[in-house]
Structure formats: C-alpha cells, structure tokens
Amino acid sequence: MIKICGTGSALPAHTVTNDDLSKIMDTSDEWISSRTGIRARHLAVEETTTGMSVKAAEQALEEAGVKAEELDLIIAATLSPDHILPTLACEVQAAIGATHAVAFDLHAACSGFLFSMNTAAAYMQSGVYKNALIIGAETLSKMMDWNDRGTCVLFGDGAGAAVLRELPDDGTNGGLKAFVQYSDGARGGVLACGNRPVCHPFASHEPENQYVTMDGQAVYKFAVSTVPKVVTEAVEKAGLTLADIDHFVLHQANQRIIESVAKRLKQPMEKFPMNLQDCGNISAASVPILLDSLNKNDMIKANERIVLAGFGAGLTWGAAVIQW
Ligand code: COA
C-alpha cells in the first residue's frame, strides 16, 4: 500500500490582512471576504520557496521516521521557484542531504501537489521507487501584478510537504485508493502568466505580461463544474460512495467554490476544512499545507477516508482518495 507517513508545512512570518491591502489599493475587506472568504495571507519577506520547502520537508521526514538518505524520489510542484535552474526539487535534495534520491519539479499549477503525488504513486505501483518526498511550494507574491486588484488580493505564499511510502499491506486496506487527473490546454488562456521573450542576436520578440492574469468568472465556472465530477469519479473508482468520505481537502482558491462543490456533492460543509481565510490561494502548496494542519491538530483519525482535489491553470484538475 502507498501511504502518506508524514506531513509538514511552512508559512512566511509576515501576515497581510485585507485591511492592510485596502491602505495601498482601491479594495476593501468587505469586497475580498464576501467574494472569496479570504481575510489574510502570508507574504514572503525573507522567506524563499526553497527555504520554506526545506522546513516543510524536514517536518514530514521526521514524522515519517524516514531519513533523507532513504528517499529515492523527490518531486516538487511549483510555479514560482526561486530559480529557473537548478530546480526546486534539486535544491531541496542538496539542503536535506537526500543523496540517493532522483529529484525533479512538476509544474501543474494549483493541481501540482496532487499530480506529483499521483506521479510518485505510479512509480511506486510499478516497483520503481519506495520512499518519496512530495512538495508543493510557492512564493506567488512575486508572480502578481500588484496594480491588478482583481488578482493580487487572492494569493499567498507558503510550502507543504508529505512523505509517501510503499509499505507492506497491514490489513487495513489503507493508503492511496484511487486517483484521476485531467487537463484541457485549449482553455488555458483564462489563467495565464507570460515568460521572458525570445531575445538573441537573430530575433527579438515583444515582452509578454510576466504577471498572472485571470478571467475570474471563467475560472470560477470551470471549478464549480469540474471539481464535483472529478471528486465523484475518484470516489467511485475507489469503490466508495461520497458518504464514506470523512474529509474533502480541496484546493483553497475560494470559499464560494468550496461551498458550491459541497452543495453539488450534497455533503455537509463540516467535511470541507478550509485555511483560505488566513492563507489565501497558495496554488500547489494549498492542499499539503491544509493536510498538514489537519494532521498536526489531530483532526484526521486512523482509517478515515480523505479526498484531495486540485484545480487550476492549464487548465488542470484531479482528485485522489486516500485512507489515512
Ligand atoms: N476590490 C474591489 N473591487 C474589485 C476588486 C478588489 N480587489 N477586484 C475587482 N474589483 C471590481 C472590478 O473592477 C469590477 O468592477 P466594475 O464592475 O466596476 O468593473 C467588480 O469588482 C466586479 O469584478 P468581477 O471580476 O466581475 O467580480 P466577480 O464577482 O467575478 O469576483 C473573483 C471576482 C475573482 C472573486 C471571482 O471571479 C472568483 O473568485 N473567481 C475564481 C478565481 C479563482 O479562484 N482563481 C484561482 C483558481 S486556481
């Protein structure tokens, strides 16, 4: 069985409330919180994507009782690494001393942690690797246009990690039970961010917008229509019903999206934990940070069933069912 054996997380020390934002741009706590549920976010000042990832990774390894040298795989999901090269996963590998691991980044935006976990699980199911470190980490604050109040108020910074192990079956039928994942590049323009243009002695292109742009209403409609379907599909694939699920740990983009998903799935809001009030949307980091806070606060009991679901730019979306 493939099991999450440890979790960890790290958030920047500096908290910025909606009222703080309203002092520097034309917005208000009422506008942001009524449309999104977000009241504050942590923004990196001294922290880095790699530094937060290392902290989260060390916590996850400690809880799992796994030494860094025992890792054979590190996958880091991020859209905001500190450097283009080397990759975040390789920087973490060096910092923790995971000398026997292969390390690489996986970029699937807000579905990144989920897709990384599924990728690690596929390696494990085929017998290639046994001990994996999965990271979701972002400093999204540097990807935002701070003159665009429609996007910059939604996002935050932070990192989460989990240690995934292939263990002998202990008779509980636990661990990862099923996953499904999708993408639709044809709709990718609704949530985008440009890169550096081609510029060399033989060609020079106009620079693209290097900050995140978003059609908020299109993204909202995408999320509320696809997430209930993908969650239902994953649960059915696991041979379970929605009533069997104890916690739905969804990507923390927007409280209204989560409420709409709960309503469409006919499940009570108590099953949908949230940290977006204090953290905003941290893309690939939001699911592992929330999972770690549930784990650390003893809010998940042994054998409880959890759905993890991600959705975002690409477009990408997916869900996994795990038994704790
Ligand atoms: N403060 C105050 N006013 C703001 C604002 C802000 N931070 N941001 C936008 N506005 C204004 C707009 O300029 C617009 O004004 P206008 O009517 O005078 O042009 C008005 O508020 C309505 O903007 P609109 O974009 O239509 O609002 P909305 O009701 O669609 O809500 C979102 C915007 C972003 C909250 C909503 O679309 C949403 O949550 N979408 C999903 C986004 C998401 O989760 N993305 C990440 C997925 S991974």
Side-chain angles (χ1 to χ4, degrees):
M1 66 176 176
I2 297 163
K3 215 170 160 59
I4 292 180
C5 298
T7 63
S9 63
L11 290 165
H14 189 64
T15 301
V16 175
T17 65
N18 293 345
D19 285 333
D20 293 332
L21 290 180
S22 72
K23 291 179 191 136
I24 57 166
M25 66 183 75
D26 184 13
T27 190
S28 64
D29 178 49
E30 197 282 321
W31 194 97
I32 301 169
S33 58
S34 65
R35 280 169 181 79
T36 68
I38 297 165
R39 293 192 168 271
R41 72 286 294 143
H42 297 258
L43 299 186
V45 178
E46 300 295 335
E47 297 84 355
T48 61
T49 304
T50 301
M52 292 188 289
S53 300
V54 170
K55 272 193 190 168
E58 285 171 345
Q59 293 166 23
L61 285 166
E62 190 179 342
E63 191 197 351
V66 172
K67 294 192 185 71
E69 312 89 73
E70 293 176 278
L71 291 172
D72 41 27
L73 175 65
I74 300 174
I75 308 181
T78 185
L79 67 91
S80 50
D82 297 330
H83 310 110
I84 305 278
L85 298 170
T87 62
L88 170 60
C90 284
E91 290 191 334
V92 173
Q93 178 198 18
I96 64 175
T99 42
H100 300 115
V102 64
F104 58 88
D105 287 4
L106 187 154
H107 184 358
C110 304
S111 308
F113 179 82
L114 189 84
F115 284 19
S116 299
M117 187 183 78
N118 298 344
T119 302
Y123 275 120
M124 289 175 172
Q125 278 158 355
S126 57
V128 181
Y129 300 121
K130 282 193 177 315
N131 297 321
L133 172 66
I134 313 299
I135 296 166
E138 307 285 7
T139 41
L140 295 177
S141 51
K142 68 187 177 216
M143 314 299 286
M144 295 301 137
D145 174 355
W146 285 89
N147 293 312
D148 177 7
R149 61 181 182 168
T151 54
C152 69
V153 302
L154 305 175
F155 296 92
D157 301 334
V163 169
L164 202 65
R165 300 190 75 190
E166 218 251 293
L167 297 171
D169 207 334
D170 61 359
T172 59
N173 198 21
L176 178 67
K177 301 178 86 66
F179 66 80
V180 282
Q181 48 192 18
Y182 292 99
S183 50
D184 179 5
R187 286 190 282 165
V190 299
L191 187 45
C193 181
N195 202 344
R196 295 188 305 193
V198 166
C199 183
H200 56 70
F202 308 99
S204 182
H205 296 171
E206 282 297 308
E208 296 180 284
N209 183 346
Q210 293 176 15
Y211 296 99
V212 170
T213 57
M214 181 179 72
D215 176 343
Q217 288 179 9
V219 174
Y220 187 92
K221 283 182 199 145
F222 148 70
V224 298
S225 62
T226 55
V227 178
K229 283 189 210 147
V230 82
V231 166
T232 305
E233 188 185 343
V235 170
E236 284 172 0
K237 197 170 169 190
L240 300 169
T241 67
L242 292 167
D244 295 324
I245 305 301
D246 300 288
H247 310 278
F248 294 88
V249 178
L250 306 190
H251 169 49
Q252 300 289 293
N254 180 312
Q255 183 171 332
R256 285 192 307 158
I257 292 176
I258 295 175
E259 285 169 354
S260 168
V261 172
K263 201 170 159 195
R264 285 171 198 230
L265 294 176
K266 300 191 175 59
Q267 294 297 303
M269 273 309 287
E270 299 76 64
K271 287 190 181 184
F272 292 76
M274 282 190 272
N275 65 3
L276 58 83
Q277 303 89 327
D278 305 316
C279 295
N281 177 347
I282 323 180
S283 194
S286 82
V287 166
I289 291 173
L290 180 56
L291 190 65
D292 181 53
S293 110
L294 297 174
N295 183 24
K296 284 204 177 111
N297 292 304
D298 291 325
M299 290 164 79
I300 321 174
K301 297 182 192 69
N303 293 320
E304 280 193 329
R305 290 158 182 149
I306 305 168
V307 164
L308 306 180
F311 56 89
L315 298 170
T316 56
W317 65 103
V321 182
I322 55 177
Q323 186 168 312
W324 200 247

